[in-house]
Amino acid sequence: MPTPLNASSSTRNGLEVLQGRSGFVQLAPEWRRLVETQTPAQASPFQHPDWIGAWLASICTEPDGLRLLALRHHGELVAVLPLVPHACPLARLLPQWTMIQGPHMVLAELAGGPSRWPAMLQALLRQRTLRCSALQLPAVIHELAPAAEALPAGSTMRRVLRSESAWLDCSGDTEQALARVQRSFRQNLRRLGRRADSQGQVALEVADTPAALEEALTHFLDIEASGWKGRCGSAIRDDARLVGFYRALVRDFGARGQCRIHRLTLDGRTVAAQFALRGGRQLNLLKIGYDEAFSAIAPGHLLMMRIIERSCADPDLDRLSLVTHPSWAHLWKPQLAEVDHLTLTMPGWDGRLLGRLMQWRDQRRARTAATPDEPAASSGLPTRTQFDGT
């Protein structure tokens, strides 16, 4: 079967839809050139085909479901939107598509940069190849107001929920990066540092070459599994698919010098570790783990302090991103970027129907929240979860 699904894929302007592994292999070289020629301010590992390739090779269970929407202008690839089917009770009648996102792929970005969103959404609305009643945009970190303003009549953009992505400004020195941190916390860090020094030699180990990353990944996986995640079976090391995902990131991003594993060691023993990917002038901290046996010295925070110092000393880095907003991050007083989960309904009959069902669901939830003691079945409406995820 030919990989391009769009009959007009040969046009120099418009949307080309490719499918599955073969479509990915076909598009990847051009996609790679697109993201690697972006300015440092626009570059992000979450736009790179190697990010989606790691997911496709390791985590994805239905590769044939992958659709790659390739937007071209005068024959040149300018944006790529990876999509997979969005599971919901009404999928057969009202098919929906979603960007790839999950516990280990928290942010979802458009390859080509946020400025391409209006053109991509307009092209998606015009195409007739991909049946789509609604598009789910989970964890989009960039504001889509300009894209929403350009939508045609009959389509709607609604925010399902909003979260935050924390980051620190490392464009100056360490004092500037920590200017908002409370004095008491900084004093406590110094005290913990002295305590750690009294127990042995403390060092920051940074792996950023393919050989060093392979060894460091083993230490990282062991540390990440040493605490509560290991006890409850949710550690990366306990899932062969996740191990494959991180190994692929090490292999592909490490080959370009864009992967780092930081380790805090005490007399050579790893007591905390972080897995990071670099994109442009930003370092993204994906995962962190620490040895609970050394909790008295708070090794995770000591490691974070060392990484902040190192990032501020790097003239090629401006930001240190925590990707999400973890509960411990408030001590570092990070700046916060809004992250939206958006739903775009299409202007056809199916999109309008789905939009009304969503509105009905939201109204019912509001009534249920206002009268929590009222039996759910008394209204004769579907149960609250029937349309969850639409």
Side-chain angles (χ1 to χ4, degrees):
M1 179 177 74
T3 302
L5 302 180
N6 192 339
S8 61
S9 62
S10 61
T11 60
R12 292 176 56 80
N13 295 284
L15 199 64
E16 177 183 14
V17 183
L18 300 100
Q19 178 179 358
R21 295 185 191 276
S22 58
F24 175 83
V25 170
Q26 177 179 333
L27 187 63
E30 196 176 5
W31 182 356
R32 187 170 287 107
R33 287 193 297 273
L34 167 66
V35 298
E36 291 181 355
T37 55
Q38 289 179 313
T39 64
Q42 295 175 318
S44 166
F46 311 122
Q47 299 180 28
H48 203 283
D50 288 348
W51 178 250
I52 300 301
W55 165 85
L56 186 61
S58 306
I59 299 177
C60 178
T61 57
E62 297 182 4
D64 287 343
L66 174 66
R67 298 293 186 274
L68 299 171
L69 276 59
L71 183 65
R72 299 186 181 278
H73 181 64
H74 297 308
E76 179 183 357
L77 183 68
V78 295
V80 180
L81 179 61
L83 298 175
V84 290
H86 179 66
C88 67
L90 299 177
R92 289 184 178 274
L93 176 63
L94 303 173
Q96 300 177 56
W97 296 84
T98 181
M99 298 178 73
I100 299 165
Q101 189 255 352
H104 293 263
M105 301 182 73
V106 180
L107 297 181
E109 295 193 17
L110 175 70
S115 64
R116 296 294 183 181
W117 271 117
M120 174 60 76
L121 295 183
Q122 285 285 340
L124 176 63
L125 291 167
R126 290 194 300 266
Q127 61 84 36
R128 294 293 180 266
T129 303
L130 189 71
R131 277 197 64 211
C132 182
S133 302
L135 178 64
Q136 299 289 337
L137 304 173
V140 177
I141 200 169
H142 298 289
E143 178 60 57
L144 289 183
E149 292 170 0
L151 295 177
S155 60
T156 62
M157 181 84 79
R158 61 192 294 271
R159 189 175 76 219
V160 179
L161 58 89
R162 170 164 283 176
S163 58
E164 296 166 329
S165 175
W167 61 278
L168 292 169
D169 184 352
C170 295
S171 60
D173 58 18
T174 304
E175 285 300 315
Q176 176 183 318
L178 302 180
R180 304 197 306 171
V181 175
Q182 291 184 357
R183 182 180 178 183
S184 59
F185 178 61
R186 298 180 69 171
Q187 291 174 335
N188 193 41
L189 279 175
R190 288 192 288 270
R191 179 181 61 82
L192 291 168
R194 290 192 297 270
R195 180 183 297 176
D197 289 336
S198 70
Q199 297 181 16
Q201 184 176 1
V202 180
L204 173 65
E205 303 286 342
V206 181
D208 56 7
T209 64
L213 284 165
E214 282 294 333
E215 179 183 356
L217 180 62
T218 300
H219 291 286
F220 166 76
L221 294 176
D222 289 343
I223 282 292
E224 201 260 350
S226 67
W228 64 269
K229 289 185 178 181
R231 291 192 293 273
C232 70
S234 62
I236 295 171
R237 194 181 63 182
D238 297 330
D239 188 328
R241 296 187 308 160
L242 292 178
V243 172
F245 176 69
Y246 283 91
R247 288 200 182 281
L249 295 179
V250 162
R251 181 190 66 236
D252 297 332
F253 284 91
R256 297 189 302 276
Q258 294 178 317
C259 182
R260 290 181 183 174
I261 297 178
H262 307 92
R263 293 189 296 133
L264 188 73
T265 62
L266 181 62
D267 285 340
R269 176 176 175 176
T270 302
V271 295
Q274 285 184 330
F275 189 105
L277 293 179
R278 184 167 180 164
R281 302 187 65 84
Q282 178 167 294
L283 185 65
N284 304 276
L285 303 181
L286 270 62
K287 287 291 177 181
I288 183 171
Y290 68 93
D291 190 335
E292 293 180 355
F294 293 87
S295 58
I297 62 171
H301 284 301
L302 292 182
L303 175 58
M304 185 69 183
M305 185 66 197
R306 298 286 184 100
I307 294 173
I308 292 172
E309 292 172 343
R310 194 175 191 274
S311 298
C312 289
D314 187 340
D316 295 324
L317 279 181
D318 289 334
R319 280 193 179 197
L320 185 63
S321 170
L322 306 184
V323 183
T324 60
H325 188 194
S327 58
W328 53 265
H330 73 281
L331 295 169
W332 297 95
K333 303 299 180 184
Q335 302 187 57
L336 301 176
E338 293 178 340
V339 179
D340 286 334
H341 183 154
L342 304 167
T343 297
L344 169 67
T345 57
M346 300 301 168
W349 69 267
D350 50 344
R352 291 193 296 271
L353 173 59
L354 187 59
R356 288 170 184 158
L357 289 172
M358 290 177 177
Q359 185 179 23
W360 175 34
R361 178 196 60 186
D362 292 344
Q363 291 172 347
R364 183 180 180 279
R365 286 180 175 176
R367 289 196 300 268
T368 301
T371 57
D373 295 328
E374 180 182 337
S378 63
S379 64
L381 296 176
T383 62
R384 178 175 178 176
T385 59
Q386 182 166 345
F387 295 116
D388 276 0
T390 59

